[in-house]
Structure formats: structure tokens, C-alpha cells
């Protein structure tokens, strides 16, 4: 991660938006195929082909030695799960994180899917994590600070009794996947890096049903909750503006697929709180 905060021109923001929308379409392609029995490796292959067919390259593959296009984290896995032979099962939740690089700029977004019927308590965790993301985005406005984003996310998660992961954070997005500043999902109002119009940020709450504590598995990638309870992760790439951030990525393509797909996954937004 660079140290200098980058302000993007409107033309550059448009390129981050294009990359971010392609991530949304890729995650919708994943949504078409996610169901009990599918392997995480199969989803990864589908995503890679889709991205390359659209003239872009996977944003994660090869970065820091990452072997895959997607990072798929099931149940107690928080983030950075590596796709492979694991078949998804009814009742799993799977966070699917995806980045693309196109025209020199990255987009980054993640969505946690329900595989078939999922326990109500877990569905509530997904719903609250999406609400945390929305609250974080609402705080990503000109002249606020990164701590305002973190505070909004932390407050909502903890008021629901959940743990906020500290070890992994959101980040700036631009010509590199990870730019300054870091965007923690916890914090104090009025603290942290000052936000300015034109800063592109990936805001990505990682919220645990139980303890906030995590550990990394021996594969050197997968991060899991220490108590084995489920974790959720939703991420948008946004650009800071005065008054209201613009969301550059979208879940709309995903939710259009899920709304039609009664057998596989169901949209988080249909959850009754
Ligand atoms: Mg991501
Ligand atoms: Mg990210």
C-alpha cells in the first residue's frame, strides 16, 4: 500500500467505476452458479473466464502470490479463503471477494451468499453486515475522517452483539488494488485520515457473529474466527464526494440473479429482521 492518498480525476473515477461494475457482473455470474454441490474452485474458474472475456484481468491473481481470481470464505472463514475442491453445502454462507484490473484501474467488491436455506441467526448477521456497509458509506464524505467510517460500522455491529475484525481493513483503490489510506471497520469519530472528494475507497466490514478475534490457517491465507462462529463480509468501492459518497460497485446484478433463483441462493435483502 502506498502512503500517499490519491485524489482521482473524474475520468479516473469513471475507469474505477467501469472496473467496479465488472466486479458486480462477475459476482452476479457467481450468483448464477452458487448452490449446494458446486466447488469453490469451479466458481473461481467461472469468474476468471468471465473477467477475461470482458477484456479485463483478475485483480487478485498473482498479487502478493494470490493463486486465484476469487477469495471464497465459507462460514467461520472471515476472508482470504482459497478456492479449491471444497463443495458448498446447504446452509453454508460464502463470502466471495473479487477484484478486476481494467484500463489501468482496479475495482473491488465482495458479497456474502447464502447457500440454500441458512439459519436465521446467520441471515441476520448478513443483514446487519450489509447495514454496516451502508452506514460506513454514508460516513465517507468530504471532510470526514476514516475514523468516522469505522465508528459508524463498529457502533452498528457491536450494538447487535457482533465482533468487528481488527486485523483486516478497507483501503484506497486506484492504479493499485490497495492504496492509502487504510479504512478500519472500527474507530473514533473525528480521528484518522481526512477524506477528500475524489478519493476512491473500498469499504468492507468483516463482522463476526461471536468474538472479534481471528486467526490465520496454516495455508498462509485463510482467516477464520477464533471461536468458529460464522463471519460475514460485504464490500463496495466508492468515491468520496461532498454530502454523499458515490457507490461505484453494485450489488444490483447479483440481487437480480438471486431474486430469480429460488433453488440456490436468496438475496440478503429479503431477510425479515
Ligand atoms: Mg475485496
Ligand atoms: Mg478490498
Amino acid at each position: 500500500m502506498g502512503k500517499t492518498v490519491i485524489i482521482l480525476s473524474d475520468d479516473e473515477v469513471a475507469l474505477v467505476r467501469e472496473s467496479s461494475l465488472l466486479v458486480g457482473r462477475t459476482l452476479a455470474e457467481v450468483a448464477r452458479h452458487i448452490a449446494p454441490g458446486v466447488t469453490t474452485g469451479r466458481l473461481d474458474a467461472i469468474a476468471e473466464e468471465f473477467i477475461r472475456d470482458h477484456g479485463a484481468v483478475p485483480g487478485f491473481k498473482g498479487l502478493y502470490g494470490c493463486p486465484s481470481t476469487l477469495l471464497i470464505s465459507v462460514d467461520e472463514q472471515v476472508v482470504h479463503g482459497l478456492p479449491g475442491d471444497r463443495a458448498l453445502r446447504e446452509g453454508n454462507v460464502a463470502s466471495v471477494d473479487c477484484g478486476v484490473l481494467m484500463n489501468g484501474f482496479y475495482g473491488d467488491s465482495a458479497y456474502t451468499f447464502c447457500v440454500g436455506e441458512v439459519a436465521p441467526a446467520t441471515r441476520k448477521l448478513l443483514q446487519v453486515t450489509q447495514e454496516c456497509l451502508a452506514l460506513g458509506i454514508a460516513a465517507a464524505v468530504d471532510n470526514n475522517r476514516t475514523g468516522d467510517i469505522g465508528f459508524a460500522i463498529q457502533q452498528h455491529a457491536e450494538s447487535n452483539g457482533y465482533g468487528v475484525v481488527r486485523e483486516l481493513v478497507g483501503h484506497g483503490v486506484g492504479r493499485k488494488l490497495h492504496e492509502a489510506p487504510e479504512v478500519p471497520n472500527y474507530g473514533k469519530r473525528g480521528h484518522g485520515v481526512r477524506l477528500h472528494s475524489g478519493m476512491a475507497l473500498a469499504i468492507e466490514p468483516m463482522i463476526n457473529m461471536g468474538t472479534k478475534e481471528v486467526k490465520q490457517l496454516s495455508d498462509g491465507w485463510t482467516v477464520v474466527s477464533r471461536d468458529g462462529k460464522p463471519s460475514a463480509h460485504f464490500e463496495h468501492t466508492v468515491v468520496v464526494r461532498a454530502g454523499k459518497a458515490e457507490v461505484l460497485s453494485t450489488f444490483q446484478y447479483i440481487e437480480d440473479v438471486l431474486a430469480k433463483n429460488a433453488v440456490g441462493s436468496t438475496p440478503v435483502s429479503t431477510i425479515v429482521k
Side-chain angles (χ1 to χ4, degrees):
M1 187 178 289
K3 290 202 170 80
T4 310
V5 166
I6 294 162
I7 306 295
L8 301 179
S9 69
D10 287 350
D11 287 348
E12 290 171 329
V13 168
L15 294 175
V16 174
R17 179 184 285 109
E18 280 185 33
S19 295
S20 300
L21 291 178
L22 180 56
V23 173
R25 287 200 292 274
T26 306
L27 291 174
E29 198 61 22
V30 170
R32 279 188 192 92
H33 293 89
I34 199 163
V38 72
T39 66
T40 55
R42 173 80 185 127
L43 296 175
D44 187 62
I46 288 166
E48 178 167 4
E49 185 178 2
F50 187 85
I51 290 167
R52 294 193 189 280
D53 281 350
H54 286 79
V57 295
F60 300 165
K61 199 167 189 173
L63 196 64
Y64 319 120
C66 179
S68 57
T69 292
L70 302 177
L71 293 165
I72 304 180
S73 309
V74 181
D75 292 350
E76 81 285 359
Q77 298 177 350
V78 178
V79 286
H80 298 173
L82 296 178
D85 294 337
R86 180 177 187 164
L88 295 176
R89 290 165 53 179
E90 176 92 16
N92 285 152
V93 288
S95 149
V96 181
D97 196 350
C98 181
V100 310
L101 173 62
M102 187 166 64
N103 300 317
F105 287 85
Y106 282 89
D108 189 8
S109 182
Y111 192 92
T112 302
F113 293 90
C114 294
V115 183
E117 282 302 311
V118 165
T122 307
R123 292 173 70 86
K124 185 182 172 206
L125 172 69
L126 269 51
Q127 176 71 41
V128 169
T129 305
Q130 266 207 6
E131 290 164 2
C132 285
L133 174 58
L135 291 165
I137 292 169
V141 294
D142 187 72
N143 215 30
N144 261 1
R145 291 177 181 265
T146 51
D148 294 301
I149 298 173
F151 176 84
I153 292 169
Q154 180 182 7
Q155 185 75 10
H156 190 56
E158 291 182 351
S159 71
N160 280 277
Y162 298 144
V164 177
V165 174
R166 304 295 204 270
E167 287 81 354
L168 300 133
V169 296
H171 50 91
V173 178
R175 291 183 184 276
K176 293 181 185 156
L177 178 65
H178 295 133
E179 300 272 15
E182 292 193 346
V183 185
N185 296 303
Y186 60 94
K188 294 193 173 112
R189 280 178 176 153
H191 286 66
V193 174
R194 177 88 62 188
L195 305 179
H196 299 287
S197 287
M199 287 171 62
L201 303 175
I203 299 177
E204 49 178 316
M206 291 154 253
I207 306 298
N208 292 348
M209 187 182 284
T211 179
K212 68 180 188 298
E213 303 300 331
V214 297
K215 60 181 179 182
Q216 192 168 48
L217 298 186
S218 58
D219 63 11
W221 282 90
T222 317
V223 176
V224 298
S225 64
R226 223 169 239 287
D227 60 7
K229 291 185 179 172
S231 184
H233 177 214
F234 289 88
E235 176 180 26
H236 271 315
T237 297
V238 310
V239 62
V240 173
R241 296 296 189 204
K244 190 172 188 293
E246 281 175 55
V247 182
L248 302 178
S249 50
T250 179
F251 295 151
Q252 192 57 55
Y253 303 125
I254 299 169
E255 286 169 356
D256 288 349
V257 171
L258 297 185
K260 287 185 215 153
N261 185 359
V263 181
S265 312
T266 47
V268 170
S269 53
T270 63
I271 294 168
V272 179
K273 272 187 277 181

